[in-house]
Amino acid sequence: MFKHLFKLIWNKKKQNFLLMSEMLFSFLVLFAVFSLLVYYYNNYKKPMGMGYQNVWVVSYNNALQTKNTDSLDTYYETLRNSIKGMPEVNDLSFCSDNVPFSANTWTGLAGYNKHNYSNVNMYNAEDSYLKTLNGQLLEGRWFNKNDMATKIPSVVINNELREKLFGKGEAIGKIIDESDDGKNKKRVVGVIQAIKAKGDYAAAGDAVYHRIDTGSFRWLGKIIIQVTPAANAAFEARLYKTLANYMKNSNVEIEHLVNKRKDINYFTLVPMIVLSIVGCFLVINVALGLFGVLWYNINKRRGEIGLRRAVGATGSSVSNQLIMESMILATFSLIIGSFFAIQFPLLNVFDLSAGIYLVAILLAIIFIYLLVFLCSLYPGRQAAAIYPAVALHEE
């Protein structure tokens, strides 16, 4: 039977080539869509790594221009006490501009034992940073005042970077290097759960946290504040007034991490939405084209179908023949498409795990087979309903 089907397909190779090309292009687009969907879903399943519900972000600039470190320390310590003195404030921390869910990104190098990684997220934070964000400590400890006196500066890394640098080995106490020449060494004192700083659907990525000192206040411009659930608009207005009166020459802005998370999630989902819309239009066009081609084939092959029915072929066998022809054409297209798609995990394109691509290939194959089967099912039934005498009389 298959030999007969292959012969029929070969005899109409020019017509079938266009149909196969449509299926091939649809498979490649669906592969891209499913790769993105699987990537986003894998990121979404991972823990956020922090509690953002009651955390606000204060942005400021031009607060105090002085070279005197003691004056800086006194100035910001007074501001800290003023904010923590409010009953609605649980904790706060000064930090660098790349706060969670912001568009700011600071990256650098991190290496250990000749294994160097670039594009590592670099954060600068105080001793209260992890507590303010309700982060989860996995190994070791967070920063404390004892880190001020260490010869080699202390850093905390997340579990994503820990796995790359040390695998299953010990991480606490190891010396990592943040430069190519080995002159910027740091000692790992803790490992935290990776924080998805770019939203639910983006990967957390590798991260290194550095402890800020008093001199860092010259360039810092963010404060994260953990507030109580009772904090409302009235408290926000009071907090803004306190900050504006204290930092008279500064532009103060207060944002909620809950709102920033929604904004960055929308921004992350835009490529997926656009690609999904393009994929849907393409699938609809392919489905209509496939349905039309099969319908046209039935009308062109009424004599052939009538002859087969006249010599004893059942309606179900005629219907199955048309469906099998379509599935064989789809198989040829998927073999070619899979050859190109499998290059992505082999070449590690876009630095995604091979599992994402393999799942996307499988989903795209299932979708194409299902689409072809559904589109050929009704024309196949129409072919099965052709009466031999009528078809032969028309011929």
Side-chain angles (χ1 to χ4, degrees):
M1 178 181 178
F2 283 102
K3 182 179 180 180
H4 176 66
L5 291 175
F6 282 118
K7 186 175 181 180
L8 291 174
I9 292 173
W10 178 255
N11 290 336
K12 299 177 181 179
K13 51 184 176 294
K14 290 184 178 179
Q15 180 180 343
N16 292 331
F17 177 77
L18 296 176
L19 193 58
M20 288 175 56
S21 300
E22 285 188 355
M23 295 179 186
L24 173 62
F25 189 64
S26 300
F27 169 79
L28 295 177
V29 173
L30 288 172
F31 167 67
V33 173
F34 283 126
S35 295
L36 197 60
L37 288 174
V38 174
Y39 171 71
Y40 282 162
Y41 177 70
N42 284 349
N43 292 333
Y44 182 79
K45 289 193 304 180
K46 295 179 181 178
M48 181 61 73
M50 66 173 179
Y52 57 87
Q53 288 80 3
N54 295 312
V55 179
W56 296 359
V57 178
V58 175
S59 304
Y60 64 91
N61 58 9
N62 299 322
L64 180 66
Q65 300 297 326
T66 179
K67 295 182 179 180
N68 190 303
T69 304
D70 293 335
S71 299
L72 278 175
D73 189 25
T74 302
Y75 180 86
Y76 285 103
E77 189 63 29
T78 303
L79 176 61
R80 185 198 311 276
N81 293 333
S82 299
I83 299 174
K84 291 194 70 172
M86 298 178 176
E88 294 87 352
V89 175
N90 288 333
D91 215 330
L92 66 91
S93 173
F94 289 86
C95 59
S96 52
D97 290 341
N98 52 343
V99 294
F101 310 142
S102 71
N104 297 321
T105 302
W106 295 10
T107 59
L109 301 173
Y112 175 76
N113 196 20
K114 298 182 180 181
H115 295 286
N116 297 319
Y117 296 93
S118 59
N119 296 323
V120 177
N121 295 298
M122 299 292 177
Y123 297 91
N124 295 274
E126 286 190 308
D127 299 347
S128 55
Y129 182 86
L130 190 66
K131 182 181 177 183
T132 303
L133 286 178
N134 288 321
Q136 182 181 358
L137 187 66
L138 301 179
E139 299 177 35
R141 61 175 177 82
W142 187 254
F143 302 119
N144 57 45
K145 292 183 178 180
N146 296 330
D147 294 312
M148 295 176 61
T150 57
K151 183 178 180 181
I152 300 178
S154 301
V155 294
V156 174
I157 62 176
N158 67 0
N159 59 325
E160 300 275 347
L161 184 59
R162 183 222 185 285
E163 184 176 350
K164 289 183 177 180
L165 293 179
F166 310 110
K168 297 182 179 180
E170 181 66 29
I172 305 304
K174 295 293 178 61
I175 305 297
I176 66 174
D177 188 17
E178 294 184 349
S179 65
D180 292 327
D181 54 11
K183 296 181 179 180
N184 192 9
K185 298 186 180 298
K186 302 290 170 61
R187 186 185 303 276
V188 177
V189 297
V191 179
I192 66 169
Q193 173 67 49
I195 295 175
K196 294 195 292 187
K198 298 303 178 183
D200 295 271
Y201 305 102
D206 309 326
V208 177
Y209 295 83
H210 304 83
R211 186 178 188 273
I212 63 175
D213 53 22
T214 305
S216 302
F217 286 113
R218 293 190 180 92
W219 51 267
L220 291 178
K222 299 288 184 181
I223 311 173
I224 55 173
I225 303 175
Q226 184 189 110
V227 299
T228 64
N232 51 22
F235 165 69
E236 185 173 348
R238 183 155 47 91
L239 175 63
Y240 178 85
K241 185 177 180 180
T242 300
L243 294 168
N245 289 337
Y246 190 78
M247 298 183 287
K248 297 185 181 298
N249 297 324
S250 178
N251 297 319
V252 178
E253 181 182 3
I254 300 176
E255 299 175 284
H256 300 190
L257 281 190
V258 172
N259 298 331
K260 290 176 71 66
R261 168 179 167 267
K262 292 180 181 178
D263 293 339
I264 202 167
N265 280 344
Y266 290 147
F267 181 78
T268 305
L269 289 174
V270 166
M272 184 184 71
I273 294 173
V274 173
L275 192 59
S276 298
I277 293 174
V278 173
C280 287
F281 276 112
L282 179 65
V283 167
I284 292 173
N285 288 332
V286 171
L288 293 176
L290 181 61
F291 189 85
V293 168
L294 294 175
W295 189 277
Y296 177 77
N297 284 343
I298 291 173
N299 291 327
K300 292 283 288 184
R301 299 167 62 181
R302 289 179 67 86
E304 173 195 337
I305 295 172
L307 183 60
R308 290 199 62 200
R309 294 295 309 276
V311 297
T314 62
S316 60
S317 65
V318 172
S319 176
N320 291 336
Q321 175 189 337
L322 293 176
I323 295 175
M324 287 301 298
E325 286 182 19
S326 301
M327 300 299 280
I328 291 173
L329 288 175
T331 301
F332 287 148
S333 300
L334 293 175
I335 291 174
I336 299 172
S338 297
F339 170 78
F340 291 105
I342 203 67
Q343 305 305 314
F344 283 76
L346 293 178
L347 300 176
N348 195 26
V349 180
F350 302 124
D351 199 27
L352 299 181
S353 65
I356 293 177
Y357 289 125
L358 295 178
V359 172
I361 291 173
L362 180 61
L363 291 175
I365 290 174
I366 294 174
F367 192 94
I368 291 294
Y369 271 133
L370 184 62
L371 177 67
V372 172
F373 176 76
L374 293 177
C375 289
S376 60
L377 190 61
Y378 182 73
R381 289 183 177 179
Q382 290 295 106
I386 295 176
Y387 289 102
V390 175
L392 293 175
H393 176 72
E394 292 175 354
E395 187 68 17

